[in-house]
Short mmCIF file of all heavy atoms in Angstrom, two decimals:
data_model
loop_
_atom_site.label_atom_id
_atom_site.label_comp_id
_atom_site.label_asym_id
_atom_site.label_seq_id
_atom_site.Cartn_x
_atom_site.Cartn_y
_atom_site.Cartn_z
N MET A 1 -24.50 42.72 -29.32
CA MET A 1 -24.56 42.57 -27.87
C MET A 1 -23.53 43.51 -27.26
O MET A 1 -22.40 43.56 -27.70
CB MET A 1 -24.25 41.11 -27.50
CG MET A 1 -24.43 40.83 -26.04
SD MET A 1 -24.10 39.12 -25.56
CE MET A 1 -25.16 38.19 -26.60
N SER A 2 -23.93 44.22 -26.27
CA SER A 2 -23.01 45.17 -25.65
C SER A 2 -21.99 44.43 -24.79
O SER A 2 -22.18 43.27 -24.42
CB SER A 2 -23.77 46.18 -24.79
OG SER A 2 -24.29 45.55 -23.65
N GLU A 3 -20.93 45.10 -24.46
CA GLU A 3 -19.85 44.49 -23.65
C GLU A 3 -20.36 44.05 -22.29
O GLU A 3 -19.94 43.02 -21.78
CB GLU A 3 -18.71 45.49 -23.51
CG GLU A 3 -17.45 44.90 -22.89
CD GLU A 3 -16.81 43.85 -23.76
OE1 GLU A 3 -16.87 43.96 -24.99
OE2 GLU A 3 -16.22 42.89 -23.21
N ASP A 4 -21.26 44.81 -21.68
CA ASP A 4 -21.78 44.45 -20.37
C ASP A 4 -22.61 43.17 -20.42
O ASP A 4 -22.50 42.30 -19.57
CB ASP A 4 -22.63 45.58 -19.78
CG ASP A 4 -21.80 46.80 -19.45
OD1 ASP A 4 -20.60 46.62 -19.16
OD2 ASP A 4 -22.34 47.92 -19.49
N ASN A 5 -23.46 43.03 -21.42
CA ASN A 5 -24.31 41.86 -21.53
C ASN A 5 -23.55 40.61 -21.92
O ASN A 5 -23.94 39.50 -21.57
CB ASN A 5 -25.43 42.10 -22.55
CG ASN A 5 -26.44 43.11 -22.04
OD1 ASN A 5 -26.57 43.31 -20.83
ND2 ASN A 5 -27.13 43.74 -22.95
N SER A 6 -22.46 40.73 -22.66
CA SER A 6 -21.71 39.57 -23.10
C SER A 6 -21.04 38.85 -21.93
O SER A 6 -20.74 37.67 -22.01
CB SER A 6 -20.65 39.97 -24.13
OG SER A 6 -19.65 40.75 -23.53
N GLN A 7 -20.82 39.54 -20.83
CA GLN A 7 -20.20 38.92 -19.66
C GLN A 7 -21.21 38.20 -18.78
O GLN A 7 -20.84 37.51 -17.84
CB GLN A 7 -19.46 39.99 -18.84
CG GLN A 7 -18.33 40.64 -19.57
CD GLN A 7 -17.24 39.65 -19.95
OE1 GLN A 7 -16.86 38.82 -19.14
NE2 GLN A 7 -16.77 39.72 -21.18
N ASN A 8 -22.49 38.34 -19.06
CA ASN A 8 -23.53 37.78 -18.21
C ASN A 8 -24.29 36.64 -18.89
O ASN A 8 -25.41 36.33 -18.50
CB ASN A 8 -24.52 38.87 -17.79
CG ASN A 8 -23.85 39.92 -16.94
OD1 ASN A 8 -22.93 39.61 -16.18
ND2 ASN A 8 -24.29 41.16 -17.07
N ILE A 9 -23.69 36.00 -19.88
CA ILE A 9 -24.36 34.94 -20.61
C ILE A 9 -24.71 33.78 -19.68
O ILE A 9 -25.81 33.26 -19.72
CB ILE A 9 -23.49 34.44 -21.78
CG1 ILE A 9 -23.39 35.51 -22.84
CG2 ILE A 9 -24.05 33.16 -22.37
CD1 ILE A 9 -22.43 35.18 -23.95
N ASP A 10 -23.81 33.37 -18.83
CA ASP A 10 -24.02 32.20 -18.00
C ASP A 10 -23.85 32.55 -16.53
O ASP A 10 -23.22 31.83 -15.78
CB ASP A 10 -23.05 31.10 -18.42
CG ASP A 10 -23.56 29.72 -18.03
OD1 ASP A 10 -24.74 29.62 -17.70
OD2 ASP A 10 -22.76 28.78 -18.06
N LEU A 11 -24.41 33.66 -16.11
CA LEU A 11 -24.28 34.12 -14.74
C LEU A 11 -25.26 33.37 -13.85
O LEU A 11 -26.45 33.28 -14.16
CB LEU A 11 -24.54 35.62 -14.68
CG LEU A 11 -24.19 36.33 -13.38
CD1 LEU A 11 -22.69 36.23 -13.12
CD2 LEU A 11 -24.59 37.78 -13.47
N GLN A 12 -24.78 32.79 -12.77
CA GLN A 12 -25.61 32.03 -11.82
C GLN A 12 -25.66 32.77 -10.50
O GLN A 12 -24.70 33.44 -10.12
CB GLN A 12 -25.02 30.64 -11.60
CG GLN A 12 -24.86 29.82 -12.85
CD GLN A 12 -26.19 29.38 -13.42
OE1 GLN A 12 -27.07 28.96 -12.69
NE2 GLN A 12 -26.33 29.49 -14.73
N THR A 13 -26.75 32.64 -9.78
CA THR A 13 -26.88 33.25 -8.47
C THR A 13 -27.18 32.16 -7.45
O THR A 13 -28.06 31.34 -7.66
CB THR A 13 -28.03 34.28 -8.47
OG1 THR A 13 -27.76 35.24 -9.48
CG2 THR A 13 -28.13 34.97 -7.14
N GLU A 14 -26.41 32.15 -6.39
CA GLU A 14 -26.63 31.21 -5.30
C GLU A 14 -26.57 32.01 -4.01
O GLU A 14 -25.52 32.50 -3.62
CB GLU A 14 -25.58 30.11 -5.31
CG GLU A 14 -25.84 29.03 -4.28
CD GLU A 14 -24.88 27.87 -4.42
OE1 GLU A 14 -24.61 27.47 -5.57
OE2 GLU A 14 -24.40 27.41 -3.39
N GLY A 15 -27.70 32.14 -3.35
CA GLY A 15 -27.76 33.01 -2.19
C GLY A 15 -27.53 34.44 -2.62
O GLY A 15 -28.20 34.94 -3.51
N LYS A 16 -26.59 35.10 -2.00
CA LYS A 16 -26.26 36.48 -2.37
C LYS A 16 -25.09 36.55 -3.35
O LYS A 16 -24.77 37.61 -3.84
CB LYS A 16 -25.92 37.28 -1.11
CG LYS A 16 -27.11 37.45 -0.19
CD LYS A 16 -26.74 38.27 1.02
CE LYS A 16 -27.93 38.42 1.94
NZ LYS A 16 -27.60 39.19 3.14
N ALA A 17 -24.45 35.41 -3.60
CA ALA A 17 -23.27 35.39 -4.46
C ALA A 17 -23.67 35.19 -5.92
O ALA A 17 -24.57 34.42 -6.23
CB ALA A 17 -22.33 34.29 -4.03
N LYS A 18 -22.98 35.88 -6.82
CA LYS A 18 -23.14 35.68 -8.26
C LYS A 18 -21.81 35.17 -8.80
O LYS A 18 -20.75 35.64 -8.41
CB LYS A 18 -23.49 37.00 -8.95
CG LYS A 18 -24.88 37.49 -8.66
CD LYS A 18 -25.18 38.73 -9.46
CE LYS A 18 -26.58 39.23 -9.16
NZ LYS A 18 -26.88 40.45 -9.93
N PHE A 19 -21.88 34.18 -9.67
CA PHE A 19 -20.66 33.62 -10.22
C PHE A 19 -20.93 33.09 -11.62
O PHE A 19 -22.07 32.83 -12.00
CB PHE A 19 -20.10 32.50 -9.33
CG PHE A 19 -21.05 31.34 -9.16
CD1 PHE A 19 -20.97 30.23 -9.97
CD2 PHE A 19 -22.03 31.36 -8.17
CE1 PHE A 19 -21.84 29.17 -9.81
CE2 PHE A 19 -22.90 30.31 -8.00
CZ PHE A 19 -22.81 29.21 -8.83
N HIS A 20 -19.84 32.92 -12.38
CA HIS A 20 -19.93 32.35 -13.71
C HIS A 20 -19.74 30.85 -13.59
O HIS A 20 -18.76 30.37 -13.04
CB HIS A 20 -18.87 32.96 -14.64
CG HIS A 20 -19.14 34.38 -14.97
ND1 HIS A 20 -19.99 34.74 -15.97
CD2 HIS A 20 -18.71 35.54 -14.40
CE1 HIS A 20 -20.06 36.05 -16.04
NE2 HIS A 20 -19.30 36.56 -15.09
N ARG A 21 -20.68 30.09 -14.11
CA ARG A 21 -20.68 28.65 -14.04
C ARG A 21 -19.60 28.05 -14.92
O ARG A 21 -19.12 26.98 -14.69
CB ARG A 21 -22.07 28.19 -14.49
CG ARG A 21 -22.37 26.77 -14.36
CD ARG A 21 -23.82 26.60 -14.76
NE ARG A 21 -24.14 25.55 -15.63
CZ ARG A 21 -23.65 25.25 -16.82
NH1 ARG A 21 -22.77 25.93 -17.34
NH2 ARG A 21 -24.04 24.25 -17.51
N GLY A 22 -19.22 28.74 -15.95
CA GLY A 22 -18.22 28.23 -16.88
C GLY A 22 -18.54 28.73 -18.27
O GLY A 22 -19.34 29.65 -18.44
N SER A 23 -17.97 28.13 -19.25
CA SER A 23 -18.18 28.57 -20.62
C SER A 23 -19.60 28.22 -21.07
O SER A 23 -20.11 27.15 -20.80
CB SER A 23 -17.18 27.87 -21.54
OG SER A 23 -17.45 28.20 -22.87
N ALA A 24 -20.21 29.13 -21.80
CA ALA A 24 -21.52 28.87 -22.36
C ALA A 24 -21.41 27.96 -23.59
O ALA A 24 -22.40 27.41 -24.04
CB ALA A 24 -22.19 30.18 -22.74
N LEU A 25 -20.21 27.80 -24.11
CA LEU A 25 -19.97 26.94 -25.26
C LEU A 25 -19.43 25.61 -24.78
O LEU A 25 -18.28 25.49 -24.37
CB LEU A 25 -18.97 27.59 -26.21
CG LEU A 25 -19.36 28.97 -26.74
CD1 LEU A 25 -18.20 29.56 -27.53
CD2 LEU A 25 -20.60 28.88 -27.58
N SER A 26 -20.25 24.58 -24.80
CA SER A 26 -19.82 23.28 -24.33
C SER A 26 -20.45 22.19 -25.19
O SER A 26 -21.58 22.33 -25.65
CB SER A 26 -20.24 23.07 -22.86
OG SER A 26 -19.84 21.80 -22.42
N VAL A 27 -19.74 21.10 -25.42
CA VAL A 27 -20.27 19.98 -26.18
C VAL A 27 -20.97 18.98 -25.28
O VAL A 27 -21.56 18.02 -25.76
CB VAL A 27 -19.16 19.27 -27.00
CG1 VAL A 27 -18.57 20.22 -28.03
CG2 VAL A 27 -18.09 18.73 -26.09
N PHE A 28 -20.91 19.18 -23.98
CA PHE A 28 -21.50 18.26 -23.03
C PHE A 28 -22.87 18.76 -22.57
O PHE A 28 -23.12 19.95 -22.51
CB PHE A 28 -20.59 18.08 -21.82
CG PHE A 28 -19.23 17.55 -22.19
CD1 PHE A 28 -18.15 18.40 -22.24
CD2 PHE A 28 -19.05 16.23 -22.52
CE1 PHE A 28 -16.91 17.92 -22.60
CE2 PHE A 28 -17.82 15.74 -22.88
CZ PHE A 28 -16.74 16.59 -22.92
N SER A 29 -23.74 17.82 -22.21
CA SER A 29 -25.09 18.20 -21.80
C SER A 29 -25.14 18.80 -20.42
O SER A 29 -26.05 19.55 -20.10
CB SER A 29 -26.01 16.97 -21.86
OG SER A 29 -25.52 15.95 -21.01
N SER A 30 -24.16 18.46 -19.57
CA SER A 30 -24.14 19.03 -18.21
C SER A 30 -22.71 19.07 -17.70
O SER A 30 -21.81 18.44 -18.24
CB SER A 30 -25.01 18.19 -17.28
OG SER A 30 -24.40 16.94 -17.03
N ASP A 31 -22.53 19.81 -16.61
CA ASP A 31 -21.21 19.88 -15.98
C ASP A 31 -20.80 18.53 -15.42
O ASP A 31 -19.63 18.16 -15.44
CB ASP A 31 -21.21 20.92 -14.87
CG ASP A 31 -21.24 22.33 -15.41
OD1 ASP A 31 -20.87 22.53 -16.57
OD2 ASP A 31 -21.64 23.24 -14.66
N ARG A 32 -21.76 17.79 -14.89
CA ARG A 32 -21.46 16.47 -14.31
C ARG A 32 -20.93 15.52 -15.39
O ARG A 32 -19.98 14.78 -15.16
CB ARG A 32 -22.70 15.89 -13.65
CG ARG A 32 -22.42 14.62 -12.89
CD ARG A 32 -23.61 14.20 -12.08
NE ARG A 32 -23.98 15.24 -11.14
CZ ARG A 32 -23.73 15.18 -9.85
NH1 ARG A 32 -23.12 14.15 -9.35
NH2 ARG A 32 -24.10 16.16 -9.06
N THR A 33 -21.52 15.54 -16.58
CA THR A 33 -21.05 14.71 -17.68
C THR A 33 -19.62 15.09 -18.06
O THR A 33 -18.77 14.22 -18.27
CB THR A 33 -21.97 14.86 -18.90
OG1 THR A 33 -23.30 14.55 -18.52
CG2 THR A 33 -21.54 13.96 -20.04
N GLU A 34 -19.36 16.37 -18.14
CA GLU A 34 -18.02 16.84 -18.47
C GLU A 34 -17.01 16.38 -17.42
O GLU A 34 -15.92 15.92 -17.75
CB GLU A 34 -18.03 18.36 -18.56
CG GLU A 34 -16.72 18.96 -18.98
CD GLU A 34 -16.80 20.47 -19.12
OE1 GLU A 34 -17.89 21.05 -18.97
OE2 GLU A 34 -15.74 21.06 -19.37
N ASP A 35 -17.37 16.46 -16.14
CA ASP A 35 -16.48 16.03 -15.07
C ASP A 35 -16.21 14.53 -15.12
O ASP A 35 -15.08 14.08 -14.93
CB ASP A 35 -17.08 16.39 -13.70
CG ASP A 35 -17.12 17.89 -13.46
OD1 ASP A 35 -16.40 18.62 -14.16
OD2 ASP A 35 -17.88 18.31 -12.57
N LEU A 36 -17.25 13.74 -15.39
CA LEU A 36 -17.07 12.28 -15.45
C LEU A 36 -16.20 11.87 -16.62
O LEU A 36 -15.34 10.99 -16.49
CB LEU A 36 -18.43 11.58 -15.52
CG LEU A 36 -19.25 11.61 -14.24
CD1 LEU A 36 -20.63 11.01 -14.47
CD2 LEU A 36 -18.53 10.87 -13.13
N ILE A 37 -16.38 12.50 -17.77
CA ILE A 37 -15.54 12.18 -18.93
C ILE A 37 -14.10 12.59 -18.68
O ILE A 37 -13.17 11.87 -19.03
CB ILE A 37 -16.12 12.82 -20.20
CG1 ILE A 37 -17.43 12.12 -20.56
CG2 ILE A 37 -15.14 12.74 -21.36
CD1 ILE A 37 -18.18 12.70 -21.71
N ALA A 38 -13.89 13.73 -18.02
CA ALA A 38 -12.53 14.16 -17.68
C ALA A 38 -11.89 13.17 -16.70
O ALA A 38 -10.70 12.85 -16.82
CB ALA A 38 -12.55 15.55 -17.09
N LEU A 39 -12.67 12.67 -15.75
CA LEU A 39 -12.16 11.69 -14.79
C LEU A 39 -11.77 10.39 -15.49
O LEU A 39 -10.70 9.83 -15.22
CB LEU A 39 -13.21 11.42 -13.71
CG LEU A 39 -12.83 10.38 -12.66
CD1 LEU A 39 -11.63 10.84 -11.85
CD2 LEU A 39 -14.02 10.11 -11.75
N VAL A 40 -12.60 9.91 -16.39
CA VAL A 40 -12.29 8.68 -17.13
C VAL A 40 -11.03 8.87 -17.97
O VAL A 40 -10.16 7.99 -18.00
CB VAL A 40 -13.50 8.26 -18.00
CG1 VAL A 40 -13.11 7.16 -18.98
CG2 VAL A 40 -14.65 7.81 -17.11
N CYS A 41 -10.91 10.00 -18.63
CA CYS A 41 -9.70 10.27 -19.44
C CYS A 41 -8.45 10.31 -18.56
O CYS A 41 -7.41 9.76 -18.93
CB CYS A 41 -9.84 11.57 -20.20
SG CYS A 41 -11.04 11.51 -21.54
N ALA A 42 -8.56 10.94 -17.40
CA ALA A 42 -7.41 11.00 -16.49
C ALA A 42 -7.03 9.61 -16.00
O ALA A 42 -5.84 9.29 -15.89
CB ALA A 42 -7.73 11.92 -15.32
N LEU A 43 -8.02 8.78 -15.69
CA LEU A 43 -7.73 7.42 -15.25
C LEU A 43 -7.08 6.59 -16.36
O LEU A 43 -6.15 5.82 -16.10
CB LEU A 43 -9.01 6.74 -14.76
CG LEU A 43 -9.57 7.26 -13.45
CD1 LEU A 43 -10.93 6.62 -13.16
CD2 LEU A 43 -8.62 6.99 -12.30
N LEU A 44 -7.54 6.76 -17.59
CA LEU A 44 -6.92 6.05 -18.72
C LEU A 44 -5.48 6.49 -18.94
O LEU A 44 -4.60 5.66 -19.21
CB LEU A 44 -7.75 6.26 -19.99
CG LEU A 44 -9.10 5.55 -20.03
CD1 LEU A 44 -9.89 5.98 -21.26
CD2 LEU A 44 -8.91 4.05 -20.01
N ILE A 45 -5.23 7.77 -18.83
CA ILE A 45 -3.85 8.28 -18.98
C ILE A 45 -2.97 7.74 -17.86
O ILE A 45 -1.85 7.28 -18.11
CB ILE A 45 -3.85 9.82 -19.02
CG1 ILE A 45 -4.49 10.31 -20.31
CG2 ILE A 45 -2.42 10.37 -18.87
CD1 ILE A 45 -4.77 11.80 -20.34
N ALA A 46 -3.47 7.77 -16.63
CA ALA A 46 -2.69 7.26 -15.50
C ALA A 46 -2.42 5.77 -15.66
O ALA A 46 -1.30 5.30 -15.39
CB ALA A 46 -3.43 7.53 -14.19
N PHE A 47 -3.40 5.01 -16.12
CA PHE A 47 -3.21 3.58 -16.32
C PHE A 47 -2.19 3.34 -17.43
O PHE A 47 -1.33 2.45 -17.30
CB PHE A 47 -4.55 2.92 -16.67
CG PHE A 47 -4.43 1.43 -16.87
CD1 PHE A 47 -4.23 0.59 -15.80
CD2 PHE A 47 -4.51 0.88 -18.14
CE1 PHE A 47 -4.10 -0.78 -15.99
CE2 PHE A 47 -4.40 -0.47 -18.34
CZ PHE A 47 -4.19 -1.31 -17.25
N GLY A 48 -2.25 4.12 -18.51
CA GLY A 48 -1.29 3.97 -19.60
C GLY A 48 0.13 4.28 -19.12
O GLY A 48 1.08 3.56 -19.48
N VAL A 49 0.29 5.30 -18.34
CA VAL A 49 1.61 5.62 -17.80
C VAL A 49 2.10 4.49 -16.89
O VAL A 49 3.26 4.08 -16.95
CB VAL A 49 1.57 6.96 -17.03
CG1 VAL A 49 2.85 7.20 -16.23
CG2 VAL A 49 1.34 8.11 -18.00
N TYR A 50 1.21 3.96 -16.06
CA TYR A 50 1.58 2.86 -15.16
C TYR A 50 2.03 1.63 -15.94
O TYR A 50 3.03 0.99 -15.61
CB TYR A 50 0.39 2.53 -14.27
CG TYR A 50 0.64 1.36 -13.36
CD1 TYR A 50 1.42 1.48 -12.22
CD2 TYR A 50 0.07 0.11 -13.63
CE1 TYR A 50 1.67 0.42 -11.39
CE2 TYR A 50 0.31 -0.97 -12.81
CZ TYR A 50 1.10 -0.82 -11.69
OH TYR A 50 1.34 -1.89 -10.86
N VAL A 51 1.31 1.29 -16.99
CA VAL A 51 1.63 0.08 -17.77
C VAL A 51 2.90 0.25 -18.58
O VAL A 51 3.75 -0.65 -18.60
CB VAL A 51 0.43 -0.26 -18.70
CG1 VAL A 51 0.82 -1.31 -19.72
CG2 VAL A 51 -0.75 -0.73 -17.89
N PHE A 52 3.09 1.40 -19.23
CA PHE A 52 4.22 1.56 -20.12
C PHE A 52 5.49 2.04 -19.44
O PHE A 52 6.58 1.85 -19.95
CB PHE A 52 3.86 2.50 -21.27
CG PHE A 52 2.86 1.90 -22.22
CD1 PHE A 52 1.58 2.40 -22.31
CD2 PHE A 52 3.20 0.80 -23.00
CE1 PHE A 52 0.66 1.86 -23.17
CE2 PHE A 52 2.29 0.24 -23.87
CZ PHE A 52 1.01 0.76 -23.96
N ILE A 53 5.39 2.66 -18.29
CA ILE A 53 6.56 3.18 -17.60
C ILE A 53 7.01 2.25 -16.48
O ILE A 53 8.19 1.97 -16.32
CB ILE A 53 6.30 4.61 -17.02
CG1 ILE A 53 5.88 5.56 -18.13
CG2 ILE A 53 7.50 5.12 -16.26
CD1 ILE A 53 6.94 5.84 -19.17
N ALA A 54 6.06 1.77 -15.70
CA ALA A 54 6.41 0.95 -14.53
C ALA A 54 6.61 -0.50 -14.88
O ALA A 54 6.30 -1.05 -15.83
CB ALA A 54 5.33 1.06 -13.47
#
């Protein structure tokens, strides 16, 4: 794969703008799933800090 094509693996177009959606290598089925799991992990960490520190 040439250098130019390797940068366009996950190129998205919305209107006239082109942007990279993120990494093409992901263990999650969608971005929304990844965001929800990150939110749950952050809430668990915050709760653990609250319980053990406060």
Side-chain angles (χ1 to χ4, degrees):
M1 186 179 305
S2 71
E3 189 65 34
D4 292 332
N5 290 337
S6 68
Q7 297 298 316
N8 296 328
I9 291 174
D10 204 14
L11 192 63
Q12 303 290 317
T13 303
E14 186 173 318
K16 294 182 180 179
K18 289 184 181 180
F19 60 95
H20 290 276
R21 187 175 134 305
S23 175
L25 303 173
S26 179
V27 297
F28 301 103
S29 59
S30 71
D31 287 339
R32 187 171 301 256
T33 304
E34 184 177 355
D35 292 342
L36 289 174
I37 291 175
L39 178 63
V40 169
C41 290
L43 289 173
L44 289 173
I45 291 170
F47 181 73
V49 169
Y50 177 76
V51 168
F52 291 112
I53 303 294

